[in-house]
Each structure stands twice: as structure tokens, then as C-alpha cells.
Amino acid sequence: MADDCLFCKILAGEVPSSEVHSTGGTYAFRDINPQAPTHVLVIPRRHIANAGDLGAGDGGVLAEMITTAQAVAASEGIAESGYRLVFNVGDDAGNLVPHLHLHVLGGRPMGWPPG
Ligand code: AMP
Ligand code: ZN
């Protein structure tokens, strides 16, 4: 656990969250400020700052994050209608929380390119 990391505190149960799915290496919970009818965050249980810090040895946790996102999409009923998976990295992307998280967004049509 990283000091003063909000999502590490969520993993530790020190900050409440609304669980959607859980696996050995990942946890999925509802975004507190949803940008779509379904907006879930998938995080690794191991603290990684952001996707810019991932390396070739992180394939396992990344694959587990994707399969968790697939399970979220299925349970949320958006697997067929479609969904968007987003990693924000750094200031220009609006990255606020420095613990790796995969946004799962769906339940409405989303434009491209994003604003
Ligand atoms: P990012 O801008 O990619 O760093 O995304 C951080 C996300 O975390 C935002 O969409 C926030 O709404 C969300 N968020 C911040 N605090 C919480 C919280 N306590 N529980 C759930 N989601 C949160
Ligand atoms: Zn953390």
C-alpha cells in the first residue's frame, strides 16, 4: 500500500466503495462521479502509479484487469451494446488519482474523438 493513496485506502476498506467485481489481483467499483450510465473503475490490488509506469513484466496484471472489465461489462449488460476502456496518463489526460485504474464506460453512445 502506498502512503496517502486513495485507491489503496479503498482496497484496504478504509474508504468506502461500491463493489462491482473482485478477483485475486483486481477490484472493480463504481466511479463516484459517473460520466455514463455505467462507469466502473478496475484497479490492481498492487499499487502501480499509472499506465506510464507499466513494463513488459506487467502483462499478467494487465490481462487480469481486462478480463475483470469484461466481467463488469457482462454483469452491467453492456457487453453487446459496447463500452469504452480508458487509461488516463498525466495532466493533459485529466489523470487525478495516482493508482492505476481502467475506466469502463458504457450504457450510452459515446462520441469519437473524445473531448
Ligand atoms: P482519473 O481522472 O483517470 O485519475 O480518474 C479518477 C476517477 O476516480 C474519477 O473519475 C473520479 O470520479 C474517481 N473517484 C475519485 N474518488 C473516488 C472515490 N472515492 N470512489 C470512487 N471513484 C472515485
Ligand atoms: Zn495505491
Side-chain angles (χ1 to χ4, degrees):
M1 173 164 169
D3 287 346
D4 289 328
C5 172
L6 175 62
F7 289 175
C8 281
K9 288 179 179 170
I10 282 179
L11 287 166
E14 294 170 10
V15 170
S17 64
S18 176
E19 177 177 341
V20 178
H21 195 78
S22 179
T23 68
T26 72
Y27 179 65
F29 57 103
R30 296 195 188 281
D31 195 291
I32 204 168
N33 181 24
Q35 303 301 311
T38 290
H39 189 173
V40 172
L41 303 174
V42 177
I43 63 175
R45 294 189 181 277
R46 174 164 60 94
H47 181 88
I48 301 168
N50 63 42
D53 274 3
L54 289 168
D58 294 317
V61 72
L62 263 177
E64 191 171 346
M65 290 176 74
I66 296 289
T67 54
T68 294
Q70 292 167 349
V72 167
S75 67
E76 293 289 304
I78 58 171
E80 302 305 323
S81 54
Y83 53 97
R84 183 167 289 166
L85 302 178
V86 175
F87 286 110
N88 289 323
V89 182
D91 291 343
D92 278 359
N95 187 192
L96 295 175
V97 178
H99 181 126
L100 181 66
H101 49 281
L102 178 58
H103 295 260
V104 183
L105 296 144
R108 66 167 171 80
M110 278 168 276
W112 187 263

